[in-house]
Each structure stands twice: as C-alpha cells, then as structure tokens.
Amino acid sequence: MKNYPKVLTIQDISCVGQCSLTVALPILSACGAETVILPTAVLSTHTAFPKGFTFRDLSEDIPLITKHWKEIGIAFDGIYTGYLGSIQEIEDVQRIFDTFRKEGAKTFVDPAMADNGVLYGGFDMTYANAMKPLCFHADVILPNLTEACLLTDMPYRETYDKAYITEILDKLKASGAKTIILTGIGYTPDTTGVIVAENGDVQHYVHKRLSRGSHGTGDVYASAFVGAYLQGINAFDSATIAANYTVKCIENTQDDPDHWYGVKFETALPELIKAIEPELITAFEMDEVFKILNGD
Ligand code: PXL
C-alpha cells in the first residue's frame, strides 16, 4: 500500500452481528491503515437481533480516554465515526475532530442512525437533529437515503426520481455538507448505486441490486470507502471500490439463510485489497500477462 495512515474510528462494539467496530477495524487494517478505536457503547448484539440485547453506554469514558490521548500528543490522518450511542457523544466527536486531526487530516461521518425509512431502535428525532451539525462540519458524509432525508427534513420515499435526489443533495450542500457519498440510490427496480457529490460535480455509480437486503452493509461500505480514500484514491473511485466490495460481500452471504444478521465481509477482503492496489497481481495473472505479451 502507498500510504500508512493513522485513522481513528469511533463507533460501538456490537459483540455479535458483524457491524460497527468488528467490521471497521479489520477492513481498515486490510486497507493498510493503522487503526485506533474509540468504542461508544458495548452491546451483546446489534439492535436488530430479536430480543434482549444489552447496552452499556461508554459516554462517560470518552472524555477520560481523550484526556489521556491529549497528554501523550496523539493525532490522526483520518477520523471516521459510525454508530454513536448518545447526543453527548455526538457533541464529543466534534471536539475530538478539532483536537486530534493532523494538518490535512480528513473527517468522515457515517450518520448510522436509520435505514429503510425508520430510525434504529433507541434513536429519536432529537438524536437525528443533533447529528446535523456533525455532518455539516465533516469533510465527507456517507448517509443512506433515510439518513439524508432526516438531515434535510425531507420526506422519505421508496420510489423517487432524479429531481427528488437533486433536491436532497442541494439541501445538504446548502447546509454546509462538503463531499457527499449518498448510498443505495437507483432509479430502476433492479439497480442501486452510490452518488458522489463534491465541488459542484455529481456522479452516479450504478450497479446491480441484489434481492437480499443485509444488515451491516452500511458499515462495510463506509469502512471500505475510508480505507480506499486514505490510500489517496479519489472519492468517486473509492466509492466504486467500496460498492463492488459490498456487492461481493452480499453475494458471498446470500445463499446462507442463517447468516441474516450481517455479511461475510472477511471472504471478500482479498478482492478489496486488490482493488486498492491493482499492481498486486497474482502469479497466475502474471502468467496470463506473459502469454498475452508473447502472443500465445
Ligand atoms: O450501523 C449499523 C449498526 C451499528 N451498531 C448498532 C446497530 C446497527 C444497526 O442496527 O444496531 C448497535
């Protein structure tokens, strides 16, 4: 890998469920980043498990942990936040952005609070509104459509046209959003994709929609995006790499009905690494290249 960025990721530990930190840490490591974690809460499972998950809020620990970090003079090339457990933590994250970024560092916010038109269990509109200033100050935000609607006070629609998406993007930009990575956008029933809006440009990477919806794919997507972007890959190419990786993760999971709670993201890590570092080609592929060069 070209770069060895030091990245801080701030999100919960869901002990079971392949989301948040148990996804971000291995994916960022695979992308060649030194990864520092700041857990916001510890849950026995993520909140989509049917009953009785435990939730230990770590909001009180965050100021103590960051006080120590300040004393030892730690700083990051990237800070990436996902699921935060409380409004207090949203406010703390803004302070962490200001305190621990190296010069030129990038901040990434995945608002991680809602999907398919509904807020995750335990969150309400006060929480959604508290997420707005954090998103509008970050360098890159990665909302899905539901989260983008909450950030712009737009009604959520399951079917929509370009004019509706343009209105959401315009409202995000008017509120101060910089680079916007809007996930899960497709204008036909069998496609989905990601919209990258930055510096007045809007690009749409369209790919096939797999019939199975999967938990944790937002976290897989955001982690792969951040990993690629911190290797110096531009926003649109990073968004494309992350989308292809996420599709592969879903494909590798969809024939296993018992694996409903997440995706088998580990199985596609070699493809992700190769997409980030295309010169890393295998001996077999090298052989194929020599055959072409030799005219065989
Ligand atoms: O970003 C997904 C996620 C992360 N963490 C927790 C969750 C979810 C989605 O439901 O419940 C605890």
Side-chain angles (χ1 to χ4, degrees):
M1 299 276 172
K2 200 169 80 188
N3 297 333
Y4 184 60
K6 190 195 275 281
V7 54
L8 167 64
T9 183
I10 309 174
Q11 32 193 324
D12 73 280
I13 298 176
S14 287
C15 300
V16 176
Q18 286 176 310
C19 70
S20 38
L21 279 184
T22 65
V23 161
L25 179 53
I27 291 178
L28 289 166
S29 300
C31 296
E34 177 190 347
T35 306
V36 172
I37 61 166
L38 186 52
T40 55
V42 180
L43 296 85
S44 53
T45 65
H46 64 55
T47 59
F49 274 79
K51 50 175 185 270
F53 61 85
T54 68
F55 185 97
R56 182 166 303 275
D57 183 2
L58 298 180
S59 300
E60 283 181 17
D61 291 58
I62 288 179
L64 305 173
I65 293 171
T66 52
K67 178 173 174 286
H68 181 220
W69 286 356
K70 210 168 165 193
E71 284 160 11
I72 60 174
I74 197 162
F76 303 101
D77 301 295
I79 305 179
Y80 151 42
T81 73
Y83 184 104
L84 306 172
S86 67
I87 291 176
Q88 178 60 53
E89 284 176 346
I90 297 177
E91 287 164 10
D92 282 344
V93 163
Q94 188 57 61
R95 183 182 50 80
I96 291 169
F97 281 176
D98 297 339
T99 311
F100 293 101
R101 62 193 299 175
K102 288 186 193 166
E103 213 183 306
K106 295 286 180 194
T107 55
F108 306 84
V109 175
D110 173 357
M113 58 181 169
D115 206 0
N116 301 315
V118 284
L119 282 156
Y120 294 149
F123 291 153
D124 57 15
M125 283 310 293
T126 314
Y127 183 90
N129 285 330
M131 192 52 87
K132 289 178 183 173
L134 187 65
C135 287
F136 301 146
H137 282 102
D139 293 308
V140 182
I141 55 169
L142 300 109
N144 59 34
L145 183 56
T146 309
E147 291 156 348
C149 288
L150 289 165
L151 294 172
T152 53
D153 302 311
M154 286 281 286
Y156 171 77
R157 291 198 203 145
E158 267 172 23
T159 51
Y160 45 78
D161 56 12
K162 271 190 188 162
Y164 170 76
I165 297 298
T166 303
E167 193 176 347
I168 291 174
L169 291 172
D170 287 347
K171 286 192 177 204
L172 286 171
K173 284 183 226 161
S175 299
K178 296 179 192 77
T179 299
I180 304 162
I181 313 294
L182 181 58
T183 58
I185 306 301
Y187 298 115
T188 59
D190 54 346
T191 63
T192 183
V194 54
I195 290 185
V196 178
E198 68 173 357
N199 305 327
D201 279 348
V202 177
Q203 287 171 283
H204 191 183
Y205 177 62
V206 181
H207 57 85
K208 67 181 162 190
R209 178 201 291 276
L210 297 168
S211 53
R212 177 172 156 163
S214 300
H215 289 289
T217 47
D219 299 347
V220 167
Y221 183 86
S223 303
F225 175 89
V226 172
Y229 194 79
L230 290 177
Q231 285 300 331
I233 298 172
N234 69 45
F236 185 71
D237 290 347
S238 296
T240 303
I241 287 171
N244 292 341
Y245 172 59
T246 308
V247 168
K248 189 79 190 132
C249 294
I250 300 171
E251 280 173 349
N252 291 358
T253 312
Q254 62 185 0
D255 61 352
D256 183 352
D258 291 340
H259 209 103
W260 60 270
Y261 48 84
V263 288
K264 299 179 181 177
F265 69 92
E266 306 86 349
T267 60
L269 282 173
E271 273 111 319
L272 174 62
I273 294 169
K274 233 163 84 175
I276 291 177
E277 194 153 45
E279 63 267 33
L280 260 188
I281 62 174
T282 61
F284 171 78
E285 288 162 333
M286 208 60 199
D287 207 39
E288 295 295 300
V289 171
F290 282 133
K291 277 189 198 155
I292 293 164
L293 291 177
N294 292 333
D296 299 346

